[in-house]
Amino acid sequence: RRLCLRRQVANLTGLETLLLSNNSKITELEIDRKDERLPIMGLKRILQALGRRHSLIKLGLRDFRLGCDEARQLGMVLRNTPRLQSLNLASNNLGSAGLAELAPALYHNTSIKELNLLSNGLEECMESARLLRDILRHNKTITTLGLSGNRFGETNGAVECIADGMGRNSTLLKINLWSCGLGDGGVSTLAQNLCSRNTTLQKLSLGMNRITSM
């Protein structure tokens, strides 16, 4: 039921046959390449197959450096997997363009509880912050959110934008903001939004930031 591929994964050709087999019972797929510099073969066919794998409950695609076309295809996968509960897209260099392709599928998703967007270059401009804010405002299912490694704390206005989305979200239980470039002012903004409006948060991780006040 669980298929996990790790380290120097470069060729996925043939995996789509397994995913589409009538005898396959796979509900969890994790591919962690470990080295995003390696070219990848067969990804397009895998995404097409996943769009028909309606029983999938966990999906992890790490270190793929997804382009806009792949992100658009992945958005279609998200629309066609109504049971998906965990989505790990760490280290894919999505940026605002890639996130924009996924956002419509995440706005009204009613199954994903864990979303990990670690190290995806979501600090490049305010557009990323606005997309994250809107996802958090609209989605009423995500309980665990990982944004570590996205240094939005260094972009003017980004913290206020994302904090507004977090404050308006009524389902978040855990948020990971390790190494997001947050300073004292950014943490204060987060605290004001979360304390005044969010009533569900249980854990907030803020390690490896630029916090000096005690």
Side-chain angles (χ1 to χ4, degrees), residues 197-213:
R197 291 181 292 182
N198 184 294
T199 59
T200 59
L201 190 64
Q202 298 176 359
K203 182 177 181 180
L204 177 63
S205 300
L206 294 169
M208 300 297 291
N209 281 291
R210 298 181 289 107
I211 305 169
T212 62
S213 298

Side-chain angles (χ1 to χ4, degrees), residues 48-168:
Q48 291 173 342
L50 289 174
R52 298 166 59 185
R53 189 77 195 173
H54 306 307
S55 60
L56 203 66
I57 62 173
K58 185 174 184 178
L59 175 62
L61 299 175
R62 183 166 181 151
D63 289 316
F64 274 82
R65 296 187 68 85
L66 299 174
C68 285
D69 289 342
E70 290 87 359
R72 187 178 305 116
Q73 225 179 335
L74 181 56
M76 296 176 64
V77 171
L78 299 182
R79 293 186 182 92
N80 292 324
T81 48
R83 297 176 57 191
L84 191 66
Q85 297 178 19
S86 176
L87 178 62
N88 184 351
L89 297 178
S91 303
N92 275 300
N93 198 34
L94 285 171
S96 58
L99 186 61
E101 298 292 346
L102 296 176
L106 293 172
Y107 285 156
H108 304 291
N109 179 275
T110 58
S111 65
I112 296 176
K113 296 180 179 180
E114 298 180 9
L115 176 63
N116 186 2
L117 296 174
L118 175 149
S119 298
N120 266 289
L122 301 180
E123 69 275 357
E124 58 185 18
C125 62
M126 276 297 295
E127 182 60 21
S128 296
R130 285 189 284 266
L131 287 165
L132 287 170
R133 176 198 62 194
D134 292 344
I135 290 171
L136 293 170
R137 279 181 175 179
H138 289 90
N139 189 285
K140 304 301 181 183
T141 308
I142 296 172
T143 60
T144 301
L145 175 66
L147 292 177
S148 61
N150 297 292
R151 302 186 67 82
F152 57 83
E154 299 174 354
T155 303
N156 291 333
V159 178
E160 290 85 349
C161 191
I162 295 172
D164 178 72
M166 291 179 177
R168 293 176 185 273

